[in-house]
Amino acid sequence: MTKRIILIDPGHGAETPGKRSPDGTLREYEFNRNVARRLVKKLQTSGFDARLTVNDDTDMPLIQRTNQARDLKRQGYDVLLVSIHANAAGNGGWSTAKGIETYTNDQAEKLAQIIQRRLVADTSLRDRGVKRADLHITRETAKYGIPGVLCELGFMTNRDECMLLKTDAYREKCATAIAKAICEHYGVPFKTSTENPQPAQKPKVAIEINGSRLPVQGYLRDGVSWLPIRAVAEAAGGKVEWCACTKQVRVNGKDVTETIENGTSYAPARELAAILGLAVEWCGQTKTVKLKKGCA
């Protein structure tokens, strides 16, 4: 029996130009990577050999991503490549474009239909359909007879959908829908972890400013420390405001990459520290983010 490998591609890198929301509070790579890692874990739990094409924040060239699928195919594996993205429209500002769409090649048409159906049903976003386009991921995989799918999971240029894209709940919905679609396509039961049926708790991190510990905590996600924006900014003497028009928290007049957990807005420690003019250190032994006055 031919062994199957599913490659999950977290589209774009941390510094890919232009791949962010109009207000700069969401970089596409952070959404892509988070959903991709969740998806890999879900597929592995259901018995698949699932792997990421990119394991860090770099913007690996597209040809290297599809070459991974090509090389595995040449080694005799049954390969599927699924690329995860957030969509964009317009000329750099907010737009009214919204919804989910899935791009495919001939080899993945049936799977793409299942993925699109499940995503729309589980997220309740607009159904933009299954499409064909001259995209590297679907075009290059087709050359080698490999099923290739590219999922656009909402518009980061739409104010409402941008807010959704920042939440763990929405990312979990997307990863689960795609995983269930892949299981359905291959006739494999979708399984949840029996060892840890409850959502994994994010490791907590303590926060110090100039040696004084704050009464709040941040958390670790994918190797990045996320800190509660308002509590840290106000403790550091920063100005925090809510912009009703963009539905974003701003610090010292600047937008910050934001994710929302249980009604609290969090930002990456280094980005928040830079806005506040603080240096940042990480103590792995005590799991503490240490913020100090000085050059960030």
Side-chain angles (χ1 to χ4, degrees):
M1 181 178 177
T2 302
K3 183 173 176 58
R4 177 176 294 116
I5 295 179
I6 300 177
L7 291 177
I8 304 300
D9 177 54
H12 307 300
E15 301 303 328
T16 306
K19 301 299 182 180
R20 59 195 66 205
S21 61
D23 58 4
T25 61
L26 174 66
R27 286 185 286 179
E28 186 185 348
Y29 96 95
E30 199 274 322
F31 171 79
N32 297 345
R33 183 179 62 169
N34 187 278
V35 173
R37 289 184 172 177
R38 291 171 188 263
L39 178 54
V40 164
K41 291 179 181 178
K42 292 177 186 299
L43 291 172
Q44 290 173 344
T45 298
S46 294
F48 289 101
D49 182 345
R51 311 173 185 180
L52 289 170
T53 58
V54 186
N55 288 287
D56 55 28
D57 297 344
T58 59
D59 192 4
M60 178 186 287
L62 290 174
I63 191 64
Q64 293 183 24
R65 301 171 192 242
T66 51
N67 279 353
Q68 291 181 46
R70 178 202 64 187
D71 293 345
L72 289 170
K73 176 79 171 182
R74 289 175 174 174
Q75 294 169 32
Y77 292 99
D78 179 3
V79 184
L80 165 66
L81 178 61
V82 178
S83 190
I84 304 299
H85 290 262
N87 218 335
N91 298 314
W94 295 109
S95 76
T96 58
K98 58 184 178 181
I100 287 174
E101 56 194 24
T102 302
Y103 290 87
T104 186
N105 58 21
D106 288 343
Q107 293 80 4
E109 176 68 33
K110 291 182 179 179
L111 171 59
Q113 294 289 348
I114 299 172
I115 289 176
Q116 180 70 12
R117 169 171 53 82
R118 281 196 172 272
L119 281 170
V120 170
D122 289 0
T123 65
S124 298
L125 294 192
R126 177 185 172 187
D127 185 355
R128 297 175 63 91
V130 174
K131 300 181 177 181
R132 302 295 183 99
D134 187 25
L135 303 177
H136 181 94
I137 293 293
T138 54
R139 182 186 67 243
E140 296 302 309
T141 49
K143 289 181 179 179
Y144 305 102
I146 298 171
V149 176
L150 187 148
C151 301
E152 295 280 10
L153 301 173
F155 281 79
M156 59 185 175
T157 51
N158 179 290
R159 281 198 178 95
D160 292 335
E161 291 190 358
C162 183
M163 291 291 289
L164 271 180
L165 292 165
K166 294 176 185 179
T167 66
D168 273 0
Y170 183 76
R171 296 171 181 188
E172 180 71 10
K173 282 184 180 180
C174 290
T176 300
I178 297 171
K180 286 182 175 180
I182 292 172
C183 287
E184 179 182 337
H185 178 70
Y186 289 116
V188 174
F190 175 74
K191 298 178 181 178
T192 56
S193 174
T194 55
E195 296 180 359
N196 184 23
Q198 299 299 319
Q201 295 296 311
K202 300 178 184 68
K204 300 293 185 180
V205 298
I207 307 167
E208 289 183 3
I209 297 182
N210 295 326
S212 298
R213 179 157 297 195
L214 300 189
V216 295
Q217 292 180 307
Y219 64 86
L220 280 174
R221 185 174 72 196
D222 297 334
V224 176
S225 295
W226 291 77
L227 309 183
I229 296 173
R230 183 172 294 279
V232 171
E234 291 182 346
K239 180 181 178 181
V240 183
E241 57 186 337
W242 171 255
C243 183
C245 59
T246 61
K247 300 180 181 178
Q248 298 292 341
V249 172
R250 307 190 81 199
V251 178
N252 290 348
K254 296 181 180 179
D255 293 318
V256 61
T257 302
E258 178 189 14
T259 189
I260 300 172
E261 300 277 348
N262 298 320
T264 299
S265 295
Y266 292 79
R270 294 191 181 279
E271 185 176 342
L272 185 57
I275 292 175
L276 293 168
L278 302 174
V280 59
E281 296 179 7
W282 167 249
C283 179
Q285 184 175 6
T286 60
K287 290 186 172 57
T288 301
V289 175
K290 297 183 177 182
L291 304 171
K292 299 179 180 179
K293 292 288 186 182
C295 297

